[in-house]
């Protein structure tokens, strides 16, 4: 198989299909989503069987347990997948909305119309349910998509792809609007991300290594976040109970998510009051602490799982029950620390002081900034986007959780009555 | 001079300055703009003298007349430059605006805050007034900027740069917020566009060759348009007088601008009625026509400056008194022609038919789509942006004329009261 040629064909078909998708009505797109759900239901047994084959092959190839867990399509996950489709059906269609139509002194009326980006390339790993999630979001936003899942999930992904084609055709939309790459050859990714003539944007979902490679090699824009080194800063005018609850939730609610806190900053004025108890609770929850020198001095002998933090710890996304702890002079030092070490994902301040809250929101340069709330809220569903295609820590185009709107653009609409420029 | 190292120093200083700029108040930014205007006024004679030296060197080096014209800083242009500064002062400050703060079921309140992109790199040619335009827009939008003007304008640009530094310092802002590259070495451009750690976006302004090179080699996002192959389509339900006025304005108002019409499409049902007269008027204005076979047959013997169009003509941005003319079956053929040959800049339909106007707006995939208005309106000032840093024919981030808003991003703001995720 000539991968380059194969991917060009996919790209060319996607580009053609994207024109029909841009014109598709809301009713037609929702009809396609419903028909895909129906096809998934009737192909349920084949899809689960294909997934079992993927699992068996994965075990044979020595895939690690975490990977196998993500790969597995349990009956519950299968139902969630269909529910996800129905949620996307219920979302308002962003396409075609015209905003801000205003008259100009020349007499023309100028506004914006929301339009699809065109063709979205999505590169992801293991989880077969991403195939449906991504397809649904691209479809609803009037885009065409080329989906490239992990080689370990190829059988289930192909079975799901057949349902997507069926659903699109039943709604009178081009089956090529959502294509799932059929080869497991890695060269397909390289080809997909270097076809600006066919692909408008790449959304990589997966480990940091994958995303770094794609960002480096892509010849089209990439919507991405590399990691989530999130911070909680407890100000010396914090409410102690809020500080306690938010910190525990931000660190211990889930360890493997990108919006989990990885560093705790505490103002020196409140450290003695808040840190010993909080560190005890974190330790009791199984969290190991990496402290700055002052933290070590304060907690010495009181907390067992406490070691000295190195410079590298401040940069680290542990994705594990580990938390770096630093005592800082106050707000300025906290902001400076965050803007230097953070991955610009999500940061929270705990304070009752109005002016400090306002300064933290303005001066911290991250995609989400919070006052008295857990970093774990940084999520498309929690923010009310209805769904999330990914999170961006870049500032260009979309920033933070990216929903349907991030897959759209706005063109200018001008309505006139024969006006000419003088 | 080690260009790579020099540009890194500029980048590093810009990054540091960008933090102070992001925090700067509206009053401070306006004060800096006023102080720059004042400095320009008091350095007027030095700047004009530096420009005369640039002109003399340009003549010696055999610069073509059009380039020399753009290079010249006449007293009028000098006044326009200062007036431009005052216009940017009068624009509302987009930074810090919080929109859409809505309560979510969890009790958190979620919204967007407008923030600067960070450091903008601008690469441009000859016109020294771009130095002030670009500096003003970057400053007002809270960004730092590195400006790299053409080598032929180096003396005037350096004299203007001194005024910018003075103005920034007088307002208590870092003088490094707007830096003008001091070397004419071309390697400086290569370094500027490949520093993602220091530069967030590049805006190239100039010829197609320059922009193509920059887009190909840049390692950061580029806001750009390559060319403007704009279309006017006269539908068979067009008002004849509007068709006549808009076509003449779109083609003949100015020949060298990117929003000038380069191809005229005419529905076959109205061609005999509209084309002979319109072609005569165009010819009388000195416009040479390149017609399709049907156009040739219709106009044969009536218009002298008429030759056969080749396939290449439909792609061409003439930037000259030349217009390609094609008779098409109707709306579908017009949309197909435009989506195939257009550079996706600006297109206009002339029609009194409601449904066709609506379809044209929806289905034409260009950054500006117009009904009964001249393509010449595609411009930041005409659209009410107050100013324009450039035009984008890409869909990612900004599309069409780009004003202050295109130099900003939106981060998420979350206000809570101790909420945690359950």
């Amino acid at each position: 198989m000539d991968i380059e040629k194969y991917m060009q064909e996919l790209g060319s078909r996607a580009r053609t299909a994207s024109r029909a998708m841009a014109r598709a009505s809301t009713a037609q797109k929702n009809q396609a989503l419903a028909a895909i759900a129906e096809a998934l239901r009737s192909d349920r047994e084949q899809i689960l069987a294909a997934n079992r084959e993927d699992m068996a092959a994965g075990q044979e190839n020595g895939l690690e347990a975490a990977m196998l867990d993500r790969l597995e399509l349990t009956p519950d996950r299968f139902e969630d997948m269909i529910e996800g489709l129905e949620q996307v059906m219920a979302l308002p269609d962003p396409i075609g909305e015209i905003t801000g139509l205003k008259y100009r002194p020349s007499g023309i009326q100028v506004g914006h119309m929301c339009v699809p980006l065109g063709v979205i390339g999505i590169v992801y790993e293991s989880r077969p349910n991403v195939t449906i999630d991504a397809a649904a979001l691209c479809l609803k936003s009037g885009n065409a998509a080329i989906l490239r899942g992990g080689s370990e999930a190829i059988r289930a992904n192909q079975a799901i792809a057949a349902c997507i084609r069926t659903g699109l055709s039943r709604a009178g939309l081009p089956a090529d609007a959502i294509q799932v790459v059929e080869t497991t050859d890695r060269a397909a990714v390289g080809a997909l991300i270097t076809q600006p003539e066919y692909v408008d944007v790449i959304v990589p979902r997966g480990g940091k290594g994958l995303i770094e490679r794609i960002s480096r090699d892509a010849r089209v824009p990439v919507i991405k976040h590399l990691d989530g080194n999130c911070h909680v800063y407890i100000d010396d005018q914090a409410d102690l109970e809020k500080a306690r609850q938010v910190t525990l939730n931000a660190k211990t609610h889930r360890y493997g998510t990108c919006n989990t806190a990885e560093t705790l900053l505490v103002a020196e004025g409140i450290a003695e009051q808040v840190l010993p108890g909080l560190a005890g609770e974190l330790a009791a929850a199984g969290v190991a602490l990496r402290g700055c020198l002052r933290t070590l001095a304060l907690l010495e002998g009181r907390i067992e799982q406490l070691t000295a933090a190195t410079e590298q710890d401040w940069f680290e996304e542990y994705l594990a029950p580990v938390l770096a702890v630093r005592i800082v002079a106050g707000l300025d030092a906290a902001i400076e620390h965050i803007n230097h070490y953070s991955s610009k994902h999500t940061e929270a301040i705990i304070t009752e002081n109005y002016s400090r809250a306002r300064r933290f929101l303005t001066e911290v340069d991250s995609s989400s900034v919070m006052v008295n709330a857990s970093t774990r809220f940084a999520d498309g569903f929690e923010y009310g986007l209805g769904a999330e295609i990914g999170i961006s820590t870049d500032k260009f185009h979309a920033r933070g959780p990216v929903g349907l709107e991030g897959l759209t653009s706005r063109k200018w609409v001008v309505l006139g009555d024969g006006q000419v420029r003088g």
Side-chain angles (χ1 to χ4, degrees), chain A:
Chain A
M1 187 184 210
D2 180 339
I3 299 290
E4 196 68 31
K5 205 177 147 215
Y6 167 71
M7 292 305 290
Q8 272 176 17
E9 273 166 27
L10 251 60
S12 166
R13 287 204 295 260
R15 179 59 79 210
T16 302
S18 74
R19 302 216 175 89
M21 290 303 292
R23 280 194 305 265
S25 69
T26 306
Q28 232 179 343
K29 291 186 282 188
N30 285 341
Q31 204 184 323
L33 290 168
I36 294 170
E38 199 189 306
L40 286 174
R41 277 201 193 90
S42 64
D43 285 6
R44 188 173 187 276
E45 292 319 310
Q46 290 101 296
I47 295 168
L48 293 178
N51 180 246
R52 280 192 297 273
E53 281 181 54
D54 284 334
M55 291 289 290
Q59 274 154 344
E60 232 167 74
N61 295 332
L63 277 193
E64 50 179 287
M67 194 93 157
L68 282 171
D69 175 57
R70 287 201 290 275
L71 181 58
E72 192 177 5
L73 215 43
T74 62
D76 274 2
R77 286 180 183 171
F78 195 88
E79 285 313 308
D80 287 350
M81 207 163 72
I82 290 175
E83 205 184 298
L85 271 177
E86 283 157 358
Q87 280 170 7
V88 174
M89 269 176 71
L91 291 178
D93 184 349
I95 299 304
E97 187 187 15
I98 297 180
T99 48
L101 259 186
K102 284 181 188 142
Y103 279 101
R104 298 288 308 149
S106 60
I108 60 172
Q109 208 180 355
V110 182
H112 271 125
M113 183 192 286
C114 183
V115 294
L117 284 179
V119 177
I120 320 285
I122 304 196
V123 182
Y124 53 104
E125 291 169 340
S126 48
R127 294 181 209 265
N129 54 319
V130 171
T131 308
I132 284 295
D133 281 3
L137 288 170
C138 293
L139 196 164
K140 182 82 183 211
S141 54
N143 290 287
I146 300 175
L147 310 180
R148 209 293 186 171
S151 56
E152 62 288 348
I154 185 79
R155 294 172 191 85
N157 281 341
Q158 292 306 321
I160 292 169
C163 297
I164 297 174
R165 294 187 77 86
T166 303
L168 286 163
S169 298
R170 281 195 193 145
L173 292 173
D176 286 337
I178 312 285
Q179 298 177 93
V180 178
V181 175
E182 285 180 20
T183 169
T184 59
D185 192 319
R186 283 186 152 223
V189 175
L192 181 64
I193 67 177
T194 51
Q195 301 188 330
E197 64 279 33
Y198 299 130
V199 177
D200 296 291
V201 59
I202 294 286
V203 185
R205 293 173 56 156
K208 193 171 171 176
L210 171 80
I211 296 172
E212 270 175 342
R213 275 198 310 281
I214 286 176
S215 306
R216 197 189 50 223
D217 299 335
R219 300 285 311 147
V220 296
V222 178
I223 294 178
K224 62 155 197 303
H225 80 289
L226 284 173
D227 44 24
N229 176 19
C230 302
H231 296 69
V232 173
Y233 165 59
I234 303 178
D235 185 55
D236 56 17
Q237 291 188 26
D239 173 294
L240 290 180
E241 184 51 25
K242 289 177 193 167
R244 188 188 145 267
Q245 281 187 5
V246 168
T247 306
L248 287 173
N249 184 262
K251 182 65 236 181
T252 68
H253 183 247
R254 276 182 70 185
Y255 293 120
T257 49
C258 60
N259 54 18
T260 296
E262 306 289 12
T263 296
L264 172 66
L265 302 172
V266 184
E268 58 185 10
I270 204 172
E272 280 186 50
Q273 235 182 309
V274 76
L275 252 189
L278 186 53
E281 287 194 84
L282 286 162
V287 176
L289 303 179
R290 309 272 168 87
C292 68
L293 291 178
R294 297 175 69 182
T295 302
L296 293 179
L298 180 64
L299 300 180
E300 207 171 25
R302 300 204 234 187
I303 304 288
E304 278 189 20
Q305 296 145 302
L306 173 64
T307 54
T310 63
E311 172 75 4
Q312 184 52 35
D313 277 300
W314 311 125
F315 285 110
E316 206 67 47
E317 182 187 29
Y318 299 113
L319 295 173
V322 181
L323 181 69
V325 183
R326 186 174 196 176
I327 296 174
V328 294
L331 180 66
D332 284 310
I335 293 175
E336 205 173 310
H337 178 103
I338 291 170
N339 284 342
H340 183 72
Y341 293 105
S342 162
S343 64
K344 301 186 187 298
H345 190 297
T346 299
E347 335 290 348
I349 184 175
I350 315 298
T351 192
E352 295 301 307
N353 182 296
Y354 163 82
S355 295
R356 293 189 198 160
R358 203 157 168 249
R359 274 195 59 205
F360 188 89
L361 291 177
T362 304
E363 296 181 26
V364 169
D365 182 26
S366 295
S367 72
S368 288
V369 287
M370 304 183 166
V371 181
N372 295 340
S374 170
T375 56
R376 285 282 295 134
F377 282 114
D379 172 282
F381 288 94
E382 294 293 338
Y383 283 3
L385 299 181
E388 184 182 289
I389 191 88
I391 286 186
S392 166
T393 50
D394 292 325
K395 293 183 194 171
F396 209 69
H397 191 67
R399 198 173 183 198
V402 180
L404 287 182
E405 196 196 324
L407 300 180
T408 69
S409 182
R410 295 187 310 164
K411 70 182 179 191
W412 293 88
V413 166
V414 177
L415 306 182
D417 201 31
Q419 278 81 4
V420 297
R421 197 160 159 193

